[in-house]
Amino acid sequence: MKKTVITGLITIAILSLIGCGNQKQVDYTTEATEESADAMVEAEIPDKVSYELMGEGGTIIVDADIILPENHDKCTVVEYSIKRFTDEDVKGLVEKIFDKDSYFLYMPYSEEQIEIAKDKLTSIKDASTDDRERYTLQNELLNLDNRIKNLSPAFKDMEQIEELKLYTIPEEDGWHPEIEKCCLIGAIDGRYYYMLIAQGEDKGNVIMKLQLLRDMNNDANGNLGPDSLDVQIYENKCVYSKDEAKKLATDYIQSLGYTDYEAIEVFDCKENNYAPSQDIREMNSYNIYFGRKIDGYNLAFNTSNCPDFFIDVVGDSYIAGNNTATEYIKVNVDSDGISELLIFNPMKEERILDNHAKMLSFENIDNIAREDLQSYIDYTFDGMQIQTINITEIDLGYGYTYDMETDRYALIPVWFYMMDDNIDNSNFRRRDYISYNALDGSHKDTSTVIYY
């Protein structure tokens, strides 16, 4: 989309650093030629930085490789808004995903619906040769028996659930807030899956989750990093290689219409549940994470941007809560193919804010980071020292900022100072210790980008 630039000046208003209460304005002019600006940026970014900061609170060691995207000096800034699902979206996804005539609504909110659900689950269980699926279904049938004894009065006036669409689920006893929701069970190439499409009102989270029926009540598959104990002991028993799993996942999400995304990380992973022994953690699948990619820049992966903790406990309270993470897609691939898909807070493009945003030099960014890191390490809480913190990588990539007033997001260049956080030898976390808006050096989490 074209944008009007008055007198060649782009003004960006960005919230100031944490701890400063006032708002600052930073002006970016276009006086320098693109060629000279590109040469300046190229010369300013080293391959690696190393320094050590000490204070009463402990030590921060920065020994970090600097990772840059393609065409790192040419970044497009784009504005988005959360795309809520419509009834037509639900119908379209269901028709694309499930085998014809294999699916049924799974929303047991009345005694009649519970009995229908029990009959359908019993038929699937009796025909199944998968012990794990049969075990899951047996537990779900017991859950339905208990549910019928404890039906909430809140469901009494719900509309009849017969049509394929989003239904408003009422607030239940003040515990589960009101949300819009559609749940189904259906087959994909003969294998049964559970599907959830749900969204909170107004600024609540938007979620689409597809999961093998045998896993519908199990925890998420846990990511493993290079230092995890499991990686040192076991090979991944998935029949697919990482590259093959990545291609399979990419082809699948594109077949559903999600074509503006690229795989940003692929992890070996283990099952957190249904293990023969708590001491055995077998790697048997991959988690592939997807984010937006524009002209060589892609969403930078970190655990805070792509959290997994809620995926298998997506209770109504979480869905109804305010948006707590930005858009990403996760696909789990095991030896049988796609075992799980999660689409979280999908977005739609509103406008391009800048085709070639001018960024601060890395030297300026790193000077700000050194001051902030030193202030952190100088602080002690009741005289307690923090452990040594290792910053092992500094990544330049896309991150989202949020403007509360307009309820819009901006995809902007961000410097992520990544820490070594794989500390428990089992689950892998990859997160930034601190991150900066590359346009003005403010903390990413407090930045709001407003283009006039």
Side-chain angles (χ1 to χ4, degrees):
M1 185 179 294
K2 294 181 180 178
K3 82 180 159 137
T4 302
V5 181
I6 301 175
T7 66
L9 178 65
I10 304 171
T11 303
I12 304 175
I14 305 177
L15 292 181
S16 58
L17 296 179
I18 294 173
C20 301
N22 57 338
Q23 182 171 313
K24 64 179 179 179
Q25 293 219 347
V26 182
D27 294 341
Y28 299 94
T29 64
T30 57
E31 293 177 359
T33 65
E34 288 190 6
E35 290 78 9
S36 63
D38 293 348
M40 178 181 64
V41 172
E42 188 71 35
E44 287 173 346
I45 304 178
D47 295 328
K48 188 181 182 72
V49 293
S50 298
Y51 50 88
E52 185 173 319
L53 304 172
M54 301 182 67
E56 293 185 6
T59 303
I60 295 178
I61 299 172
V62 178
D63 188 22
D65 293 324
I66 297 178
I67 310 300
L68 301 174
E70 304 170 32
N71 301 319
H72 64 271
D73 55 320
K74 298 178 181 178
C75 183
T76 303
V77 178
V78 187
E79 183 181 71
Y80 293 90
S81 62
I82 297 289
K83 184 183 184 304
R84 294 173 61 81
F85 287 114
T86 65
D87 291 341
E88 290 305 311
D89 292 331
V90 172
K91 293 174 184 176
L93 281 170
V94 170
E95 289 172 0
K96 285 180 180 179
I97 288 173
F98 291 118
D99 300 343
K100 187 177 180 181
D101 299 327
S102 72
Y103 57 85
F104 57 90
L105 287 166
Y106 188 71
M107 301 183 70
Y109 292 112
S110 71
E111 189 170 340
E112 178 186 5
Q113 292 159 1
I114 291 173
E115 291 298 338
I116 292 172
K118 286 173 62 178
D119 288 343
K120 291 184 178 294
L121 294 189
T122 299
S123 297
I124 296 172
K125 182 174 77 72
D126 290 345
S128 177
T129 58
D130 185 329
D131 289 341
R132 184 166 162 185
E133 184 178 67
R134 290 171 59 85
Y135 174 82
T136 297
L137 289 172
Q138 183 59 45
N139 282 341
E140 188 63 16
L141 287 166
L142 292 174
N143 290 338
L144 290 176
D145 284 333
N146 291 328
R147 187 179 182 88
I148 205 170
K149 299 173 186 176
N150 301 291
L151 276 172
S152 169
F155 302 143
K156 182 178 64 175
D157 297 325
M158 276 186 63
E159 61 180 306
Q160 191 70 19
I161 296 179
E162 297 175 342
E163 189 181 348
L164 182 58
K165 67 172 192 173
L166 289 161
Y167 289 87
T168 299
I169 309 302
E171 182 175 349
E172 183 181 356
D173 302 328
W175 182 249
H176 296 102
E178 183 174 286
I179 63 168
E180 290 185 327
K181 191 175 186 179
C182 185
C183 298
L184 303 97
I185 290 175
I188 304 174
D189 296 331
R191 302 170 77 202
Y192 277 94
Y193 287 75
Y194 168 77
M195 183 179 189
L196 164 71
I197 298 176
Q199 55 199 17
E201 291 187 323
D202 191 20
K203 298 179 182 180
N205 289 308
V206 177
I207 292 173
M208 193 283 262
K209 175 186 171 184
L210 181 71
Q211 190 173 35
L212 273 172
L213 186 58
R214 71 183 190 191
D215 298 326
M216 69 180 293
N217 293 318
N218 288 338
D219 293 336
N221 295 302
N223 294 331
L224 294 170
D227 298 322
S228 296
L229 182 63
D230 308 80
V231 175
Q232 296 172 10
I233 296 177
Y234 299 107
E235 294 181 4
N236 195 320
K237 294 191 175 182
C238 181
V239 300
Y240 297 102
S241 68
K242 277 192 176 183
D243 286 341
E244 291 169 338
K246 176 180 172 181
K247 184 179 186 307
L248 186 65
T250 301
D251 291 345
Y252 187 68
I253 68 167
Q254 289 186 349
S255 74
L256 299 181
Y258 294 90
T259 56
D260 297 331
Y261 302 80
E262 178 157 306
I264 55 176
E265 284 289 356
V266 182
F267 292 113
D268 296 293
C269 60
K270 69 176 189 304
E271 294 172 311
N272 287 344
N273 209 348
Y274 201 80
S277 165
Q278 292 299 319
D279 297 327
I280 298 175
R281 294 189 174 98
E282 184 177 273
M283 294 194 304
N284 50 21
S285 66
Y286 303 95
N287 280 335
I288 302 99
Y289 293 83
F290 292 84
R292 299 268 180 176
K293 181 169 184 177
I294 305 170
D295 298 332
Y297 267 78
N298 59 260
L299 180 69
F301 175 87
N302 62 60
T303 306
S304 58
N305 279 349
C306 306
D308 280 343
F309 64 88
F310 65 86
I311 291 177
D312 285 277
V313 285
V314 279
D316 296 349
S317 297
Y318 186 86
I319 296 168
N322 289 338
N323 307 134
T324 55
T326 44
E327 174 193 56
Y328 74 97
I329 296 174
K330 190 194 92 165
V331 180
N332 182 264
V333 174
D334 64 15
S335 292
D336 294 320
I338 306 294
S339 62
E340 182 182 305
L341 165 68
L342 177 78
I343 300 172
F344 186 69
N345 280 343
M347 294 191 183
K348 61 180 179 180
E349 182 179 316
E350 294 291 344
R351 56 178 177 150
I352 294 176
L353 300 177
D354 198 338
N355 281 304
H356 191 168
K358 183 178 178 183
M359 295 181 279
L360 289 185
S361 69
F362 175 74
E363 181 181 7
N364 285 344
I365 294 291
D366 197 48
N367 284 338
I368 296 170
R370 290 188 191 216
E371 291 180 7
D372 287 344
L373 294 173
Q374 186 65 60
S375 68
Y376 296 156
I377 213 67
D378 284 340
Y379 177 78
T380 61
F381 181 73
D382 290 338
M384 295 178 61
Q385 280 201 335
I386 64 173
Q387 294 181 342
T388 298
I389 296 169
N390 292 290
I391 305 295
T392 56
E393 194 171 282
I394 301 174
D395 298 346
L396 178 61
Y398 268 140
Y400 283 99
T401 61
Y402 177 60
D403 182 354
M404 189 177 297
E405 292 184 4
T406 62
D407 196 27
R408 296 283 177 87
Y409 294 80
L411 200 55
I412 65 169
V414 176
W415 287 102
F416 295 92
Y417 281 63
M418 307 300 295
M419 64 184 295
D420 181 3
D421 198 26
N422 190 24
I423 57 177
D424 62 3
N425 288 333
S426 56
N427 290 325
F428 176 66
R429 295 180 296 175
R430 187 174 187 272
R431 65 184 180 92
D432 56 295
Y433 187 70
I434 196 167
S435 56
Y436 295 96
N437 183 328
L439 303 177
D440 81 322
S442 65
H443 283 263
K444 190 269 291 185
D445 291 335
T446 61
S447 296
T448 300
V449 179
I450 305 171
Y451 280 69
Y452 297 97

